[in-house]
Amino acid sequence: MSTVVISGAQWGDEGKGKIVDYLAAQADTVVRFQGGSNAGHTVTVNDEEYKLRLLPSGILYKGTTCVIGNGVVVDPQTLLEEIDSMKARGVDTSGIKLSNRAHVVMPWHKLIDELGEALRGENKIGTTKRGIGPCYIDKADRIGIRICDLIDREEFALKVAQVLQTKNLILEKVYNHAPLNADEIIREYEGYAERLRPFVCDTIALLNEQVDAGKKILFEGAQATMLDIDYGTYPYVTSSHPISGGVGVGAGVAPKKIDKVFGVVKAYCTRVGEGPFPTEQLNEIGDKLRIAGHEFGTVTGRPRRTGWLDACIVKYAGQLSGTDYMAVTRLDILDDFDEIKMCTAYKINGEVLNEIPASLKVLAKVEPVYETFAGWKTDISKIRNYEDLPANAKKYLERMAEVTGIKIGIVSVGPNREQTIVLAKNIF
Ligand code: GDP
Ligand code: IMO
Ligand code: MG
């Protein structure tokens, strides 16, 4: 086994960064395949925190190849700031590879993301305002600018001038905003191009050679299943495919070359931004989860919405990604609860549903069916073997596996590397 996908099974912030960093100790290469700097992946080593947006969470290991694949939308300024801050902390950045086919987030993308949200008013999505949606829109509209264009001075100037004609019309006529200046943007981005050039290559060729050579590759999903543009709570989603299938299109590695899939599942549930969340707890329980879990966004600092674990969506994520194992994170956050609930089914008008409703109107009417578990009231953060977990914690995990039909492969009991219990054998 040499290729492993790590995908979020809920609404993001499950702890994908922690799990990827843990497994990256054994990997040759770590690959981001979708999303952009809307991601905020935290890696903690010896209590020191690293917050990653575009760089793969394998960056902390010297000599690991860190690929930003073609499916990612890249904000060059953010990427360079991240590289600089890593270098300043003594991290080896020589393994970074940037796809020449990845799309570039331009100033108009970020501006239109912000103006669009303001215009939507009450119907806003609650985006991270990083220009993600507008950049993917331009990719699909075939007016996007790619990294291969960015590093071609003439081509880049030509494309910016061309695209900006339309964008300025939109800015002025739709948003009543001042136009952007092409020359200023070209000058700014030429600086980024020169600095990024050494990292640029054909990552598709690179990755397929590595797969054929049997190298150990981790594919790091950003966002999560319920934010997937097809499978999530549309339109309250992101604009890419965080499910394991996203690897095929976002990294150029064919589905039949994927060996294993891990779904990262927070032991309870959170969501940032707008949209349905059937197990949300708008009460003291939700407040307790937010405080115990320090649930505030890495990218935007917004308080995260909190609720009980929804095993229905984890099961759905498992179907969509072909998940072999769950990596259950933040189990320690539940240490102080007398009682813990898990949603194990959805009902509408007393009838159990066998699917996740597409219609948000229907989803809003869903009644979660809860099972109640006694808490363990013990500090589990120092436990390193599954057998040593309190019986009540094991009952909770075992029921999770039963309802979702997915085996538990990893249990995380704290943010640090060593706070990890591994049950799955031979992950690579
Ligand atoms: P990601 O976006 O999926 O990578 O998750 P984030 O990094 O946005 O949020 C997860 C947070 O939980 C980070 O602050 C992690 O350091 C932290 N974390 C990860 N696993 C654990 C765990 O098992 N226990 C605790 N207490 N924190 C964890
Ligand atoms: P990681 O990788 C949690 C949410 C935003 C918003 C919606 C659309 O850290 O898990 P976008 O800026 O993508 O157009 O916003 O998606 N969102 C995330 N929520 N974790 C993330 O990433 C997210 N990335 C986007 O809050 O609701
Ligand atoms: Mg995050």
Side-chain angles (χ1 to χ4, degrees), residues 34-95:
Q34 45 72 232
S37 55
N38 48 350
H41 295 182
T42 314
V43 174
T44 308
V45 185
N46 300 327
D47 288 327
E48 215 180 307
E49 271 194 356
Y50 297 82
K51 294 194 183 292
L52 303 164
R53 288 183 180 163
L54 279 161
L55 290 178
S57 302
I59 192 77
L60 299 181
Y61 297 93
K62 195 169 163 45
T64 301
T65 305
C66 284
V67 174
I68 299 173
N70 54 279
V72 178
V73 289
V74 179
D75 181 340
Q77 188 186 2
T78 308
L79 177 56
L80 286 164
E81 279 170 11
E82 220 177 308
I83 293 173
D84 288 342
S85 101
M86 286 296 146
K87 271 190 184 158
R89 294 175 78 176
V91 174
D92 172 28
T93 55
S94 63

Side-chain angles (χ1 to χ4, degrees), residues 140-384:
D141 200 16
R142 292 146 299 172
I143 54 164
I145 296 179
R146 297 182 297 164
I147 296 288
C148 59
D149 305 320
L150 175 70
I151 59 168
D152 177 335
R153 236 186 142 105
E154 263 174 41
E155 189 67 17
F156 184 70
L158 210 70
K159 290 216 152 152
V160 169
Q162 236 172 35
V163 177
L164 202 50
Q165 267 185 6
T166 320
K167 295 295 172 190
N168 274 340
L169 275 176
I170 295 170
L171 285 174
E172 290 178 287
K173 308 252 185 239
V174 177
Y175 295 108
N176 202 17
H177 192 280
L180 296 176
N181 181 297
D183 292 336
E184 276 173 25
I185 294 174
I186 292 167
R187 228 173 299 127
E188 179 189 340
Y189 274 63
E190 273 174 0
Y192 302 148
E194 285 327 298
R195 293 202 51 209
L196 287 176
R197 188 186 304 280
F199 301 114
V200 178
C201 71
D202 187 327
T203 56
I204 300 165
L206 172 86
L207 287 172
N208 280 288
E209 268 168 34
Q210 290 198 342
V211 170
D212 292 344
K215 298 258 185 197
K216 294 173 178 167
I217 307 177
L218 273 177
F219 293 95
E220 175 178 4
Q223 292 80 52
T225 306
M226 296 310 285
L227 292 171
D228 184 288
I229 191 162
D230 268 72
Y231 306 108
T233 46
Y234 189 91
Y236 299 100
V237 292
T238 192
S239 303
S240 67
H241 291 293
I243 61 161
S244 69
V247 169
V249 283
V253 174
K256 69 180 185 185
K257 294 188 175 172
I258 302 302
D259 296 319
K260 259 188 204 144
V261 179
F262 269 76
V264 186
V265 182
K266 198 180 274 197
Y268 49 98
C269 200
T270 60
R271 171 162 206 171
V272 205
E274 310 303 316
F277 178 1
T279 62
E280 184 168 20
Q281 298 296 304
L282 293 163
N283 51 33
E284 308 94 75
I285 292 166
D287 294 341
K288 187 169 173 182
L289 284 168
R290 187 173 309 103
I291 292 162
H294 311 289
E295 291 291 358
F296 297 89
T298 311
V299 177
T300 58
R302 289 179 289 181
R304 292 177 183 147
R305 297 160 63 192
T306 46
W308 294 122
L309 178 78
D310 184 339
C312 302
I313 64 161
V314 176
K315 182 177 178 183
Y316 174 63
Q319 288 168 343
L320 291 166
S321 282
T323 307
D324 298 290
Y325 291 107
M326 284 189 278
V328 178
T329 61
R330 310 198 111 226
L331 191 64
D332 54 298
I333 301 298
L334 299 177
D335 281 356
D336 271 337
F337 282 76
D338 296 324
E339 233 177 33
I340 298 161
K341 293 193 183 196
M342 183 192 300
C343 164
T344 54
Y346 284 172
K347 273 189 178 171
I348 284 191
N349 304 326
E351 299 274 324
V352 172
L353 281 184
N354 285 320
E355 63 210 22
I356 304 293
S359 154
L360 294 198
K361 266 195 198 163
V362 179
L363 191 56
K365 286 195 204 131
V366 144
E367 309 149 30
V369 178
Y370 289 108
E371 288 179 22
T372 304
F373 298 77
W376 43 92
K377 308 287 280 183
T378 315
D379 175 3
I380 61 167
S381 66
K382 293 183 185 67
I383 295 178
R384 301 291 175 263

